Amino acid sequence: MNSKPLTPEEVTKASEQFFPLFEIVRNNMPTNSTTEDTLKVMETVCTLAQKLRVQEEKIKFGFNKDETKTDTDTTTVG
């Protein structure tokens, strides 16, 4: 693992990705929730999102891809 200090650009890029996700979770939290509560829930939500991504990728694998071909898409030789 790299132990160099993070650059301001790296932190900016990470925060641009993190805070919109944090806001989504915080907006769904009960009114009196703390930041710590939100971070704990966010960890669980992100774990679930990763699992859902894997399931979605499995569905699209092989013959179940989103692309569907019709009879007009095939080329006949002859």
Side-chain angles (χ1 to χ4, degrees), residues 7-51:
T7 65
E9 293 81 15
E10 291 170 321
V11 173
T12 299
K13 185 176 179 180
S15 67
E16 288 172 352
Q17 185 174 357
F18 173 82
F19 282 106
L21 300 174
F22 179 83
E23 287 296 319
I24 291 168
V25 175
R26 186 170 74 173
N27 290 336
N28 286 292
M29 295 290 291
T31 305
N32 296 327
S33 299
T34 65
T35 300
E36 184 177 357
D37 294 336
T38 303
L39 288 170
K40 286 179 183 178
V41 171
M42 186 174 174
E43 183 177 355
T44 302
V45 169
C46 289
T47 299
L48 176 59
Q50 288 287 347
K51 288 179 183 179

Side-chain angles (χ1 to χ4, degrees), residues 60-71:
K60 291 181 181 180
F61 180 74
F63 294 108
N64 295 325
K65 292 182 181 176
D66 284 340
E67 299 175 18
T68 56
K69 295 195 177 227
T70 61
D71 290 338

